[in-house]
Coordinates of all heavy atoms in Angstrom, one line a residue:
R271 N -76.0 -87.3 -40.7 CA -76.6 -86.2 -41.5 C -75.7 -84.9 -41.2 O -75.4 -84.2 -42.3 CB -78.0 -85.9 -41.1 CG -79.0 -87.0 -41.6 CD -80.3 -86.8 -41.0 NE -80.9 -85.5 -41.4 CZ -81.9 -84.9 -40.8 NH1 -82.5 -85.6 -39.8 NH2 -82.4 -83.8 -41.2
E272 N -75.4 -84.6 -40.0 CA -74.5 -83.4 -39.7 C -73.2 -83.5 -40.3 O -72.7 -82.6 -41.0 CB -74.4 -83.2 -38.2 CG -75.7 -82.6 -37.6 CD -75.4 -82.2 -36.1 OE1 -75.2 -83.1 -35.3 OE2 -75.5 -81.0 -35.9
L273 N -72.5 -84.7 -40.1 CA -71.2 -84.8 -40.8 C -71.2 -84.8 -42.3 O -70.3 -84.1 -42.9 CB -70.6 -86.2 -40.4 CG -70.2 -86.4 -38.9 CD1 -69.6 -87.8 -38.6 CD2 -69.2 -85.3 -38.5
A274 N -72.2 -85.4 -42.8 CA -72.3 -85.3 -44.3 C -72.5 -83.9 -44.8 O -71.9 -83.4 -45.8 CB -73.7 -86.2 -44.8
A275 N -73.3 -83.0 -44.1 CA -73.4 -81.6 -44.5 C -72.1 -80.9 -44.3 O -71.7 -80.1 -45.2 CB -74.5 -81.0 -43.7
I276 N -71.4 -81.2 -43.3 CA -70.0 -80.5 -43.1 C -69.1 -80.9 -44.2 O -68.4 -80.0 -44.8 CB -69.5 -81.0 -41.7 CG1 -70.3 -80.3 -40.6 CG2 -68.0 -80.6 -41.7 CD1 -69.9 -80.8 -39.2
Y277 N -69.0 -82.2 -44.5 CA -68.2 -82.6 -45.7 C -68.6 -82.1 -47.0 O -67.8 -81.7 -47.9 CB -68.2 -84.2 -45.8 CG -67.1 -84.8 -44.8 CD1 -67.6 -85.4 -43.7 CD2 -65.7 -84.8 -45.2 CE1 -66.6 -86.1 -42.9 CE2 -64.8 -85.4 -44.4 CZ -65.2 -86.1 -43.2 OH -64.3 -86.6 -42.4
R278 N -69.9 -81.8 -47.2 CA -70.3 -81.4 -48.5 C -70.0 -79.8 -48.7 O -70.1 -79.4 -49.8 CB -71.9 -81.6 -48.7 CG -72.1 -83.1 -49.0 CD -73.6 -83.3 -49.5 NE -74.5 -82.8 -48.5 CZ -75.3 -83.7 -47.6 NH1 -75.0 -85.0 -47.7 NH2 -76.1 -83.2 -46.8
C279 N -69.9 -79.1 -47.5 CA -69.7 -77.7 -47.7 C -68.2 -77.4 -47.8 O -67.3 -78.3 -47.4 CB -70.2 -77.1 -46.4 SG -72.1 -76.9 -46.5
D280 N -67.9 -76.2 -48.0 CA -66.5 -75.9 -48.2 C -65.9 -75.4 -46.9 O -64.6 -75.6 -46.5 CB -66.2 -74.7 -49.2 CG -66.7 -75.1 -50.5 OD1 -66.3 -76.1 -51.1 OD2 -67.5 -74.2 -51.1
L281 N -66.7 -74.9 -46.0 CA -66.2 -74.5 -44.6 C -67.5 -74.5 -43.6 O -68.6 -73.9 -44.0 CB -65.7 -73.0 -44.6 CG -65.0 -72.6 -43.4 CD1 -63.8 -73.3 -43.0 CD2 -64.7 -71.0 -43.5
S282 N -67.4 -75.0 -42.5 CA -68.4 -75.0 -41.5 C -67.8 -74.2 -40.3 O -66.8 -74.4 -39.8 CB -68.7 -76.4 -41.0 OG -69.3 -77.2 -42.0
L283 N -68.8 -73.3 -39.8 CA -68.5 -72.5 -38.7 C -68.9 -73.1 -37.4 O -70.0 -73.5 -37.3 CB -69.1 -71.1 -38.8 CG -69.0 -70.4 -40.2 CD1 -69.7 -69.1 -40.3 CD2 -67.4 -70.3 -40.5
M284 N -67.9 -73.1 -36.5 CA -68.3 -73.8 -35.1 C -68.1 -72.8 -34.0 O -67.3 -72.0 -33.9 CB -67.2 -74.9 -34.9 CG -67.0 -75.9 -36.1 SD -68.5 -76.9 -36.3 CE -68.6 -77.7 -34.7
I285 N -69.2 -72.9 -33.1 CA -69.1 -71.8 -32.0 C -68.5 -72.4 -30.8 O -68.2 -71.7 -29.9 CB -70.5 -71.3 -31.7 CG1 -71.4 -72.5 -31.1 CG2 -71.2 -70.7 -32.8 CD1 -72.7 -72.0 -30.6
S286 N -68.1 -73.7 -30.8 CA -67.6 -74.3 -29.5 C -66.3 -75.0 -29.9 O -66.2 -75.9 -30.8 CB -68.7 -75.3 -29.1 OG -68.0 -76.3 -28.2
E287 N -65.2 -74.8 -29.1 CA -64.0 -75.4 -29.3 C -64.1 -76.8 -28.9 O -63.4 -77.7 -29.5 CB -63.0 -74.6 -28.4 CG -62.6 -73.3 -29.0 CD -61.6 -72.5 -28.0 OE1 -62.0 -72.5 -26.9 OE2 -60.6 -72.0 -28.5
F288 N -64.9 -77.1 -27.9 CA -65.1 -78.5 -27.5 C -65.7 -79.3 -28.7 O -65.2 -80.5 -29.0 CB -66.1 -78.6 -26.3 CG -66.5 -80.0 -25.9 CD1 -65.7 -80.8 -25.1 CD2 -67.6 -80.6 -26.4 CE1 -66.0 -82.1 -24.7 CE2 -68.0 -81.9 -26.1 CZ -67.2 -82.6 -25.3
E289 N -66.7 -78.8 -29.4 CA -67.3 -79.5 -30.5 C -66.2 -79.5 -31.7 O -66.2 -80.6 -32.4 CB -68.5 -78.8 -30.9 CG -69.6 -79.0 -29.8 CD -70.9 -78.2 -30.1 OE1 -71.0 -77.7 -31.3 OE2 -71.7 -78.0 -29.1
M290 N -65.5 -78.6 -31.8 CA -64.4 -78.7 -32.9 C -63.5 -79.8 -32.6 O -63.1 -80.7 -33.5 CB -63.6 -77.4 -33.0 CG -64.3 -76.3 -33.9 SD -63.2 -75.0 -34.4 CE -62.0 -75.8 -35.4
Q291 N -63.0 -79.9 -31.4 CA -62.2 -81.0 -30.9 C -62.8 -82.4 -31.0 O -62.2 -83.3 -31.4 CB -61.6 -80.8 -29.5 CG -60.5 -81.7 -29.1 CD -59.9 -81.3 -27.8 OE1 -60.2 -80.3 -27.1 NE2 -58.9 -82.1 -27.4
L292 N -64.0 -82.5 -30.7 CA -64.8 -83.6 -30.9 C -64.9 -84.1 -32.3 O -64.6 -85.3 -32.5 CB -66.2 -83.5 -30.2 CG -67.1 -84.7 -30.1 CD1 -66.6 -85.7 -29.1 CD2 -68.6 -84.4 -29.9
L293 N -65.1 -83.2 -33.2 CA -65.2 -83.6 -34.5 C -63.8 -84.0 -35.1 O -63.7 -85.0 -35.8 CB -65.7 -82.3 -35.4 CG -67.2 -82.1 -35.2 CD1 -67.6 -80.8 -36.0 CD2 -68.0 -83.3 -35.7
T294 N -62.8 -83.3 -34.8 CA -61.4 -83.5 -35.4 C -60.8 -84.7 -34.7 O -60.1 -85.6 -35.4 CB -60.5 -82.3 -35.3 OG1 -60.4 -81.9 -33.9 CG2 -61.1 -81.2 -36.1
D295 N -60.8 -84.8 -33.4 CA -60.1 -85.8 -32.7 C -60.9 -87.2 -32.6 O -60.3 -88.2 -32.7 CB -59.8 -85.4 -31.3 CG -58.7 -84.3 -31.2 OD1 -58.3 -83.9 -32.3 OD2 -58.5 -83.9 -30.0
T296 N -62.2 -87.1 -32.4 CA -63.0 -88.3 -32.2 C -63.6 -88.8 -33.5 O -63.6 -90.0 -33.7 CB -64.1 -88.0 -31.1 OG1 -63.5 -87.5 -29.9 CG2 -64.9 -89.3 -30.8
F297 N -64.1 -87.8 -34.4 CA -64.7 -88.3 -35.5 C -63.8 -88.0 -36.8 O -64.3 -88.3 -37.9 CB -66.1 -87.6 -35.7 CG -67.0 -88.0 -34.6 CD1 -67.4 -87.2 -33.6 CD2 -67.7 -89.2 -34.8 CE1 -68.3 -87.6 -32.6 CE2 -68.5 -89.6 -33.8 CZ -68.9 -88.8 -32.8
E298 N -62.6 -87.5 -36.6 CA -61.6 -87.4 -37.7 C -62.0 -86.6 -38.9 O -61.8 -86.8 -40.0 CB -61.2 -88.8 -38.1 CG -60.5 -89.6 -37.0 CD -60.1 -90.9 -37.4 OE1 -60.1 -91.3 -38.6 OE2 -59.5 -91.7 -36.5
V299 N -62.7 -85.5 -38.6 CA -63.1 -84.5 -39.6 C -61.9 -83.6 -39.9 O -61.2 -83.2 -38.9 CB -64.3 -83.6 -39.1 CG1 -64.5 -82.5 -40.2 CG2 -65.5 -84.5 -38.9
P300 N -61.5 -83.4 -41.1 CA -60.4 -82.6 -41.5 C -60.4 -81.2 -40.9 O -61.5 -80.5 -41.1 CB -60.3 -82.6 -42.9 CG -61.1 -83.9 -43.4 CD -62.1 -84.0 -42.4
P301 N -59.5 -80.6 -40.2 CA -59.6 -79.3 -39.7 C -59.7 -78.3 -40.7 O -60.3 -77.2 -40.4 CB -58.2 -79.2 -38.9 CG -57.7 -80.5 -38.6 CD -58.3 -81.4 -39.7
S302 N -59.3 -78.6 -41.9 CA -59.4 -77.6 -43.0 C -61.0 -77.2 -43.4 O -61.2 -76.2 -44.0 CB -58.8 -78.1 -44.3 OG -59.4 -79.3 -44.7
L303 N -61.8 -78.1 -42.9 CA -63.3 -77.9 -43.2 C -63.9 -77.1 -42.1 O -65.2 -76.8 -42.2 CB -63.9 -79.3 -43.3 CG -63.5 -80.2 -44.6 CD1 -64.4 -81.5 -44.6 CD2 -63.6 -79.4 -45.9
L304 N -63.3 -76.8 -41.0 CA -63.9 -76.1 -39.8 C -63.2 -74.9 -39.5 O -62.0 -74.7 -39.8 CB -63.7 -77.1 -38.7 CG -64.3 -78.6 -38.8 CD1 -64.0 -79.4 -37.6 CD2 -65.8 -78.5 -39.1
M305 N -64.0 -73.9 -38.9 CA -63.4 -72.7 -38.4 C -64.2 -72.4 -37.1 O -65.5 -72.4 -37.0 CB -63.7 -71.5 -39.4 CG -63.2 -70.2 -38.9 SD -63.5 -68.9 -40.1 CE -62.8 -67.5 -39.2
Y306 N -63.3 -72.0 -36.1 CA -63.9 -71.6 -34.8 C -64.3 -70.1 -34.9 O -63.6 -69.3 -35.1 CB -62.8 -71.8 -33.8 CG -63.3 -71.3 -32.4 CD1 -64.3 -71.8 -31.7 CD2 -62.5 -70.3 -31.7 CE1 -64.8 -71.3 -30.4 CE2 -62.8 -69.8 -30.4 CZ -64.0 -70.3 -29.8 OH -64.4 -69.8 -28.6
L307 N -65.7 -69.9 -34.7 CA -66.1 -68.5 -34.7 C -67.3 -68.5 -33.8 O -68.5 -68.7 -34.1 CB -66.5 -68.2 -36.1 CG -66.8 -66.7 -36.3 CD1 -65.5 -65.9 -36.2 CD2 -67.6 -66.4 -37.6
P308 N -67.1 -68.2 -32.5 CA -68.1 -68.1 -31.4 C -68.9 -66.8 -31.6 O -68.7 -66.0 -32.4 CB -67.3 -68.2 -30.1 CG -66.1 -67.4 -30.4 CD -65.7 -67.7 -31.9
L309 N -69.9 -66.7 -30.7 CA -70.5 -65.4 -30.4 C -69.5 -64.6 -29.8 O -68.6 -65.0 -29.2 CB -71.7 -65.6 -29.5 CG -72.9 -66.4 -29.9 CD1 -73.9 -66.8 -28.7 CD2 -73.7 -65.5 -30.9
W310 N -69.6 -63.2 -30.0 CA -68.7 -62.3 -29.4 C -69.5 -61.2 -28.7 O -70.7 -60.9 -29.0 CB -67.7 -61.7 -30.4 CG -68.3 -61.1 -31.6 CD1 -68.8 -60.0 -31.8 CD2 -68.4 -61.9 -32.9 NE1 -69.3 -59.8 -33.1 CE2 -69.1 -60.9 -33.8 CE3 -68.1 -63.1 -33.4 CZ2 -69.3 -61.2 -35.1 CZ3 -68.3 -63.5 -34.7 CH2 -68.9 -62.6 -35.5
A311 N -68.9 -60.6 -27.7 CA -69.5 -59.6 -26.9 C -68.5 -58.8 -26.0 O -67.4 -59.3 -25.8 CB -70.6 -60.2 -26.0
S312 N -68.9 -57.6 -25.7 CA -68.1 -56.8 -24.8 C -68.9 -56.5 -23.5 O -70.2 -56.4 -23.5 CB -67.7 -55.4 -25.4 OG -66.9 -55.7 -26.6
S313 N -68.2 -56.3 -22.4 CA -68.9 -56.0 -21.2 C -69.5 -54.6 -21.2 O -69.0 -53.6 -21.8 CB -67.9 -56.1 -20.0 OG -66.8 -55.3 -20.2
E314 N -70.6 -54.4 -20.4 CA -71.1 -53.0 -20.3 C -70.2 -52.2 -19.3 O -69.5 -52.8 -18.5 CB -72.5 -53.2 -19.6 CG -73.6 -53.8 -20.4 CD -74.9 -53.9 -19.7 OE1 -75.0 -53.6 -18.5 OE2 -75.9 -54.2 -20.4
R315 N -70.2 -50.9 -19.6 CA -69.2 -50.1 -18.9 C -69.5 -49.9 -17.5 O -68.7 -49.9 -16.6 CB -69.2 -48.7 -19.7 CG -68.6 -48.8 -21.0 CD -68.3 -47.4 -21.6 NE -67.6 -47.5 -23.0 CZ -67.3 -46.4 -23.6 NH1 -67.6 -45.1 -23.2 NH2 -66.9 -46.4 -24.8
N316 N -70.8 -49.7 -17.1 CA -71.2 -49.5 -15.8 C -72.3 -50.4 -15.3 O -73.5 -50.0 -15.1 CB -71.6 -48.0 -15.6 CG -70.5 -47.0 -16.0 OD1 -69.5 -47.0 -15.3 ND2 -70.8 -46.2 -17.0
P317 N -72.1 -51.6 -15.2 CA -73.1 -52.6 -14.7 C -73.5 -52.2 -13.3 O -72.8 -51.6 -12.5 CB -72.5 -53.9 -14.7 CG -71.0 -53.7 -14.5 CD -70.7 -52.3 -15.3
L318 N -74.8 -52.5 -13.0 CA -75.3 -52.2 -11.6 C -74.5 -53.0 -10.6 O -74.1 -54.1 -10.8 CB -76.8 -52.6 -11.6 CG -77.8 -51.7 -12.3 CD1 -79.2 -52.3 -12.2 CD2 -77.7 -50.4 -11.9
P319 N -74.3 -52.3 -9.5 CA -73.5 -52.9 -8.3 C -74.4 -53.8 -7.6 O -75.6 -53.9 -7.8 CB -73.1 -51.7 -7.4 CG -74.3 -50.7 -7.7 CD -74.6 -50.8 -9.2
F320 N -73.8 -54.5 -6.6 CA -74.4 -55.5 -5.8 C -75.7 -54.9 -5.1 O -76.8 -55.6 -5.1 CB -73.4 -56.0 -4.7 CG -74.0 -57.0 -3.8 CD1 -73.9 -58.4 -4.1 CD2 -74.4 -56.7 -2.5 CE1 -74.4 -59.3 -3.2 CE2 -74.9 -57.7 -1.6 CZ -74.9 -58.9 -2.0

Side-chain angles (χ1 to χ4, degrees):
R271 290 170 60 195
E272 283 191 293
L273 289 180
I276 288 171
Y277 273 105
R278 287 193 296 259
C279 288
D280 300 311
L281 185 67
S282 293
L283 309 180
M284 308 294 301
I285 65 172
S286 164
E287 290 172 310
F288 173 83
E289 292 174 13
M290 276 197 67
Q291 188 172 0
L292 187 69
L293 288 177
T294 56
D295 294 357
T296 304
F297 294 102
E298 300 183 356
V299 174
S302 61
L303 298 180
L304 307 175
M305 179 180 181
Y306 174 59
L307 193 69
L309 293 163
W310 51 82
S312 300
S313 58
E314 292 182 352
R315 292 187 177 182
N316 298 300
L318 289 177
F320 179 86

